């Protein structure tokens, strides 16, 4: 077996109760206490994150070209597809980008391949299907880094 059994600690009830009295929901209190975060102060510190980006995504190679292409597609009312994977980060990234593009007024749809029928990652059948539906721009999220042939297609 590739994965071992997870051992999840059982938090002390008094730790969960203390976090609950501070206003944290039961599930969150239980998870925090199981991780050893047992005071409201420690919970607040653990959960507080700075909202600004620490590194600009524009530092990624060719990001300026990607932004320009997406902007042109939106301005020209081209059909866009966000293509993701069926795992947690794939679905999450697909949903985030899809909703963001919708908020910009894009003509956008999403595509998640069928786990059993299509497998993981980009496949030529799906790319062809999207092309036949009039998709002019396909943006991949959480997939495509090694799909050289599929991307060239």
């Amino acid at each position: 077996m590739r994965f071992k059994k997870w051992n999840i600690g059982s938090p002390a009830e008094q730790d969960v109760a203390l976090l609950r009295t501070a206003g944290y929901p039961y599930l969150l209190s239980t998870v925090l206490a199981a991780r050893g975060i047992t005071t409201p102060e420690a919970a607040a510190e653990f959960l507080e994150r700075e909202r600004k980006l620490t590194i600009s995504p524009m530092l990624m190679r060719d990001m300026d070209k990607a932004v320009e292409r997406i902007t042109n597609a939106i301005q020209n009312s081209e059909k866009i597809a966000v293509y993701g994977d069926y795992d947690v980060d794939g679905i999450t990234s697909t949903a985030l980008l899809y909703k963001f593009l919708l908020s910009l007024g894009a003509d956008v749809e999403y595509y998640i391949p069928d786990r059993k029928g299509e497998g993981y990652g980009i496949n030529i059948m799906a790319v062809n299907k999207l092309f036949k539906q009039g998709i002019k721009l396909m943006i991949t999220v959480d997939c495509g880094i090694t799909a050289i042939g599929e991307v060239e297609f």
Side-chain angles (χ1 to χ4, degrees):
M1 177 180 235
R2 184 173 161 199
F3 299 104
K4 295 181 179 182
K5 182 179 177 184
W6 285 21
N7 295 313
I8 301 172
S10 298
E13 287 300 319
Q14 68 268 17
D15 293 337
V16 175
L18 180 60
L19 292 170
R20 294 279 322 240
T21 59
Y24 293 104
Y26 175 75
L27 182 59
L28 180 58
S29 297
T30 303
V31 171
L32 289 170
R35 290 182 170 205
I37 300 166
T38 58
T39 66
E41 296 79 18
E45 185 179 337
F46 178 78
L47 295 171
E48 180 57 35
R49 294 293 178 250
E50 197 168 319
R51 302 281 186 236
K52 68 177 185 174
L53 292 174
T54 56
I55 298 175
S56 172
M58 294 307 291
L59 295 175
M60 291 173 55
R61 189 180 73 188
D62 292 336
M63 182 60 83
D64 57 331
K65 294 176 185 175
V67 169
E68 182 179 351
R69 178 63 183 98
I70 293 167
T71 301
N72 288 339
I74 294 169
Q75 290 173 346
N76 296 323
S77 300
E78 294 179 35
K79 291 182 79 168
I80 302 170
V82 178
Y83 191 118
D85 276 324
Y86 50 77
D87 58 11
V88 172
D89 53 335
I91 291 172
T92 302
S93 54
T94 301
L96 285 170
L97 184 55
Y98 172 78
K99 287 190 76 166
F100 176 71
L101 291 171
L102 271 181
S103 76
L104 296 177
D107 182 2
V108 62
E109 60 185 69
Y110 61 88
Y111 189 86
I112 305 284
D114 178 71
R115 182 174 187 246
K116 291 184 179 180
E118 296 177 271
Y120 198 78
I122 302 173
N123 68 78
I124 289 179
M125 286 181 15
V127 174
N128 197 35
K129 177 181 175 183
L130 291 169
F131 177 75
K132 288 180 180 177
Q133 292 174 357
I135 298 297
K136 298 293 183 194
L137 174 63
M138 183 177 79
I139 305 170
T140 63
V141 291
D142 189 43
C143 61
I145 193 94
T146 60
I148 308 297
E150 291 83 351
V151 171
E152 285 177 348
F153 175 76

